[in-house]
Amino acid sequence: MTQSASFSATDLAATSENAKAVLAAAGARAEALVAAWIKAGNAAAVLEASEQAQGATRKAAKRGLNVLKSRGVTIPEKRHVASLQSEEASEEQALMLAPDPSGVVVFALYRRSTTGKTRVCFVLLRDGQGIARIENGDLSTSKIKEQLRKAFPYADYDAIPVSPAWARSRIASARKTHVARGLIEPLGFDTAEPLLTPVPAEATAHPFDEEGFEFADDDARSMTAQSASLHQQPEFRRLFPPAVEVDALLRKVGEHFTPGQSPEPDALASWIKEEVAAATDRYFTPEVRADLSGLLKDSGLSILSREGESVALQVAALIQVIGKAGLITEPPREIPFLRGYFEKAISLLAAQNRGGLPIPVPTAPEQATASAG
């Protein structure tokens, strides 16, 4: 008997209005019911499961939406983003401001007191490094986002609501890293303790992972083919390689020059393209790619909140492809988003130099002799 045949026609035809109840009635077979809905092309029921179900069932529904989309099935418009916590959900709230180019992410945890004041704690952290700063204060709820905008004017995107439990888990992990590195913690944690506890006993999954964005490898690579366009998102506009890496790239381009001769434009463009690819492979080591994947997840939440699922899917596919990149097969140079770091840097330098580039060019032998004389 097939999975679909094990459910009644009424179950298989569940609507967005009763899908949650049908799932609840399915009990331990809820995940199998979602699989049956996917097979039947019941997009409305799968969408409802992706928003209302929990755990493995919700993940299966999220994956199922991708499957249905690949089949050309029209997905009803989502009523809300399920993973992002509503600011009205409870008295205890948390916000996250997506990372800056250095990977520093900001969390704001706050709780309204019995006096009507809102106690807030701002924590700046960087995964793998520790806590950068912590500040405590009393602000009205309406002023918290305003304070974040003032304190971090580089961020032309808004802070988003996240689970306080997840925020506390991230902060606790960063504190452990901080201590393990032998660093002295910034002052303020004692004051902030009521907002930073309790910490979940087990590590809390990243909300972006909970969205269930998973793809076959070929599908992920296909979705990543246009990933350079993601640099237009405000979370990624300021991502550039270190200046030393760009200088090394330009020196490599200069090595192609014949002393005393100006190259043809097409040849120069070809050399730059070749060295951008080589620089991408050199810079994006496994360690750099691992750090970048974490930044992409945090930024993906911000993009999901603002742009919706279509762009967030591109970010998720990019994370998957980056995670599988290697030096021999699927090297970083084959990922447009990674090449985009250096392509942006070259474009910016050209704009700053009126269309030219500061390429170190070998000196012709006669010029070197004249200079020596």
Side-chain angles (χ1 to χ4, degrees):
M1 180 179 291
T2 66
Q3 269 186 337
S4 298
S6 66
F7 295 100
S8 69
T10 301
D11 290 341
L12 295 177
T15 65
S16 58
E17 285 73 23
N18 70 353
K20 184 177 180 181
V22 175
L23 270 177
R29 300 170 65 226
E31 192 172 349
L33 176 58
V34 169
W37 283 341
I38 295 167
K39 183 177 180 181
N42 188 342
V46 175
L47 178 62
E48 190 68 15
S50 75
E51 294 184 342
Q52 301 295 333
Q54 301 294 323
T57 302
R58 182 168 179 265
K59 284 188 176 182
K62 285 286 187 179
R63 290 192 295 269
L65 288 176
N66 296 333
V67 171
L68 292 175
K69 288 174 185 175
S70 70
R71 294 177 186 167
V73 177
T74 300
I75 308 298
E77 184 176 350
K78 293 181 71 170
R79 294 189 299 277
H80 63 280
V81 178
S83 69
L84 302 181
Q85 177 170 314
S86 167
E87 293 193 45
E88 290 75 34
S90 68
E91 288 296 309
E92 185 176 71
Q93 302 291 334
L95 295 172
M96 183 194 77
L97 189 66
D100 68 8
S102 70
V104 173
V105 61
V106 183
F107 286 99
L109 292 97
Y110 54 101
R111 180 187 295 127
R112 189 186 302 277
S113 70
T114 55
T115 63
K117 290 184 178 180
T118 299
R119 189 66 180 166
V120 60
C121 168
F122 297 99
V123 180
L124 286 71
L125 62 85
R126 188 182 190 280
D127 292 329
Q129 298 293 321
I131 304 295
R133 194 163 87 235
I134 178 170
E135 294 183 5
N136 296 284
D138 293 306
L139 290 172
S140 66
T141 304
S142 62
K143 293 290 185 180
I144 294 175
K145 283 189 177 182
E146 181 180 329
Q147 182 67 22
L148 285 169
R149 282 192 290 269
K150 288 181 179 179
F152 307 99
Y154 67 82
D156 47 356
Y157 45 85
D158 289 329
I160 60 168
V162 295
S163 159
W166 177 65
R168 289 195 294 265
S169 181
R170 279 285 294 273
I171 293 168
S173 177
R175 291 183 71 181
K176 288 180 180 178
T177 299
H178 200 98
V179 172
R181 295 181 64 215
L183 303 175
I184 299 174
E185 279 194 337
L187 296 176
F189 276 103
D190 288 344
T191 303
E193 184 177 4
L195 289 170
L196 300 181
T197 55
V199 176
E202 297 182 1
T204 305
H206 197 291
F208 199 70
D209 290 334
E210 291 295 290
E211 288 297 322
F213 297 144
E214 297 179 22
F215 316 87
D217 288 344
D218 287 345
D219 291 338
R221 283 191 291 270
S222 177
M223 291 185 69
T224 307
Q226 303 301 320
S227 59
S229 65
L230 287 173
H231 281 284
Q232 298 172 14
Q233 295 296 326
E235 291 83 357
F236 303 140
R237 283 178 193 150
R238 297 173 69 245
L239 292 180
F240 288 93
V244 65
E245 299 291 341
V246 179
D247 290 342
L249 185 161
L250 293 175
R251 286 196 299 272
K252 290 290 186 180
V253 172
E255 292 174 5
H256 290 273
F257 280 60
T258 299
Q261 297 182 18
S262 296
E264 293 294 326
D266 287 349
L268 178 58
S270 177
W271 296 339
I272 292 173
K273 182 177 180 180
E274 176 184 338
E275 296 304 336
V276 162
T280 301
D281 285 348
R282 286 195 302 271
Y283 175 61
F284 285 103
T285 63
E287 294 76 18
V288 172
R289 295 198 304 272
D291 286 345
L292 176 58
S293 292
L295 182 149
L296 289 173
K297 286 184 183 181
D298 287 344
S299 298
L301 280 181
S302 181
I303 289 170
L304 175 62
S305 176
R306 183 185 63 254
E307 301 290 341
E309 193 172 81
S310 61
V311 183
L313 282 168
Q314 296 176 45
V315 177
L318 176 61
I319 293 170
Q320 182 171 322
V321 171
I322 287 175
K324 294 180 179 293
L327 292 179
I328 305 302
T329 59
E330 302 180 69
R333 68 172 62 200
E334 294 181 359
I335 303 174
F337 182 83
L338 300 186
R339 293 199 310 272
Y341 274 66
F342 289 93
E343 291 165 350
K344 283 196 305 183
I346 293 297
S347 295
L348 180 60
L349 279 174
Q352 292 172 341
N353 289 273
R354 299 182 179 181
L357 289 171
I359 300 172
V361 179
T363 304
E366 58 273 16
Q367 292 176 331
T369 301
S371 297

